[in-house]
Amino acid sequence: MTAIRPATVAVHAGNQPDAATGAVAAPIHLATTFRHGAAGERLAGYEYQREGNPTNDRLREALAALEGGATACTFASGMAAMTTVLECLPNGARLLVPDDCYTGLRMLCAEFLPERGIRPVSVDMTDLDAVRAACAEPVAMLWIETPSNPLMQVADIAALAQLGHAHGATVVVDNTFATPLLQRPLALGADIVMHSTTKYFGGHSDVLGGALVFAHDDAFAQKVAHRLHVTGAVLAPFSAWLILRGCRSLGARMAMHCANARKVADFLAAHPAIERVNWPGLASHPGHAVAARQMRDFGGMLSIQLRGGRAAALAMASKLQVFTNATSLGGCESLIEHRASVEGANPRSPQDLLRISVGLEDADDLVADLAQALG
Ligand SMILES: *Cc1c(COP(=O)(O)O)cnc(C)c1O
């Protein structure tokens, strides 16, 4: 049987019954070391936990199958995945990054990458002419995040991959917000997909992890894997098991996150206190057409901008009862956050903006809570 639809792959990939016992649920292998032959022969393929372990391999198999990649690496966090792939760029490399992106990437670009002479250039990834112009000088890597954090901008993965490849760049997509259930960047031409598996994969706000999935098991993929195994930002087996467990319900959860987000977005878009709803599923969103082309559905993340500015945003966030004020996303519970307040000394997010991770509660309760908070 070839399972072709993503929800089926999510349930079955890397989930073959345990060979020794027939257990249908994957065992957690906590061993740090594996018996080897007298001359160091790997008897069952494993040697030392930092080099790999069976629980982690099941997750790697599931991630590669879901993204349609040749191989995958898992990491202790999304930032460890991001850092490790960026560390594999040569000194002095030029890197194009989205001007709206995850804060951690922005911090790497501002504080750490320049120490090695890496030159990050921030561009509007929704503007192909701007990206083309930025490609006039050599580009080693083109980094895409779509939908982006927190403005929910949509970048055209296929067009950007083509442009990046024409200039010899490796094209990476942070697919954390969409997940492979909604968007498969490798099929659209990207070389590498990055995930914070802390978010939708884990799905329950209780495990930190990251991943890279590679279109080809080439020299660069092997360099990243080698670097991971030597530098050691590996995923713990129990964390791998939790993420694998989350993977099984990813299809069902994403469907409900998307359906709930639509109800929340429709309600907010019609509310007089709201200036703007940033959710790619709305026909009014500037990236809607591209999102409709490259995504199966529009995801559970959105941001809103309030007519009353910062004060109105903080007032709304403080009145919600079903939504929790907290960072992160992708869990069962709905979260809301005034991003500018948590971005440190020089916040980039608009002061009137709240970011929302729409959870798995009954959508009517979410809408009622938003209605009472907006008063
Ligand atoms: C959370 C997140 C990351 C970082 O992942 P961690 O697991 O927190 O290290 C990277 N990119 C995006 C889009 C994220 O939401």
Side-chain angles (χ1 to χ4, degrees):
M1 184 197 81
T2 29
I4 45 163
R5 292 173 183 84
T8 310
V9 177
V11 172
H12 289 286
N15 203 25
Q16 52 286 2
D18 177 44
T21 63
V24 166
I28 312 173
H29 288 278
L30 295 172
T32 55
T33 191
F34 298 81
R35 184 168 60 95
H36 63 53
E41 304 91 343
R42 291 189 178 197
L43 301 176
Y46 299 100
E47 182 183 317
Y48 183 60
Q49 194 188 104
R50 176 156 42 72
E51 300 279 326
N53 75 84
T55 312
N56 210 28
D57 278 356
R58 284 177 179 261
L59 176 59
R60 292 175 55 229
E61 189 182 329
L63 287 161
L66 278 166
E67 289 288 6
T71 185
C73 290
T74 57
F75 296 83
S77 68
M79 286 311 297
M82 198 187 281
T83 301
T84 305
V85 69
L86 292 171
E87 277 180 345
C88 289
L89 290 174
N91 287 349
R94 199 162 154 271
L95 163 75
L96 300 189
V97 296
D99 56 7
D100 188 54
C101 69
Y102 184 70
T103 327
L105 175 58
R106 202 187 316 287
M107 287 164 83
L108 289 184
C109 291
E111 298 174 40
F112 300 116
L113 297 175
E115 290 176 351
R116 288 180 45 224
I118 304 242
R119 292 171 298 148
V121 179
S122 172
V123 251
D124 178 355
M125 291 290 169
T126 68
D127 180 350
L128 288 176
D129 290 332
V131 180
R132 197 172 291 114
C135 287
E137 281 179 63
V139 186
M141 187 172 275
L142 179 64
W143 193 280
I144 302 170
E145 183 182 315
T146 184
S148 68
N149 176 64
L151 296 178
M152 303 301 299
Q153 290 176 348
V154 174
D156 186 334
I157 298 172
L160 288 169
Q162 205 171 21
L163 196 54
H165 289 159
H167 293 85
T170 299
V171 177
V172 186
V173 177
D174 183 337
N175 204 27
T176 300
F177 275 27
T179 82
L181 272 288
L182 307 184
Q183 173 173 283
R184 296 176 86 221
L186 301 182
L188 296 165
D191 303 298
I192 303 173
V193 167
M194 188 229 117
H195 279 285
S196 167
T197 50
T198 310
K199 313 295 168 52
Y200 288 107
F201 269 97
H204 297 74
S205 306
D206 57 9
V207 61
L208 203 64
L212 296 171
V213 185
F214 300 85
H216 305 288
D217 193 2
D218 56 10
F220 189 74
Q222 282 159 25
K223 182 176 172 177
V224 173
H226 180 60
R227 192 164 191 116
L228 164 66
H229 294 145
V230 174
T231 58
V234 296
L235 186 66
F238 184 59
S239 300
W241 184 83
L242 281 171
I243 295 163
L244 197 59
R245 189 180 209 266
C247 192
R248 304 306 170 214
S249 58
L250 188 60
R253 287 186 289 108
M254 289 315 292
M256 191 163 172
H257 282 298
C258 292
N260 281 1
R262 174 169 297 285
K263 287 189 182 165
V264 165
D266 285 345
F267 167 76
L268 291 168
H271 198 286
I274 306 295
E275 174 76 36
R276 207 183 148 90
V277 177
N278 303 310
W279 186 62
L282 294 174
S284 59
H285 187 285
H288 177 69
V290 174
R293 205 162 62 228
Q294 71 186 11
M295 300 177 78
R296 290 169 72 101
D297 204 340
F298 302 100
M301 291 300 297
L302 54 94
S303 59
I304 54 174
Q305 297 180 250
L306 283 91
R307 291 238 152 87
R310 175 188 164 89
L314 294 180
M316 179 184 180
S318 67
K319 285 182 199 146
L320 289 162
Q321 288 163 9
V322 179
F323 288 78
T324 302
N325 278 266
T327 201
S328 200
L329 57 119
C332 298
E333 62 292 314
S334 291
L335 303 179
I336 192 156
E337 180 169 58
H338 185 244
R339 288 295 298 167
S341 293
V342 297
E343 285 175 350
N346 299 304
R348 263 193 98 267
S349 293
Q351 290 289 343
D352 62 359
L353 179 139
L354 294 172
R355 189 185 74 180
I356 300 177
S357 171
V358 181
L360 303 179
E361 301 91 341
D362 189 306
D364 292 341
D365 290 330
L366 296 178
V367 167
D369 194 31
L370 293 164
Q372 69 75 22
L374 287 167

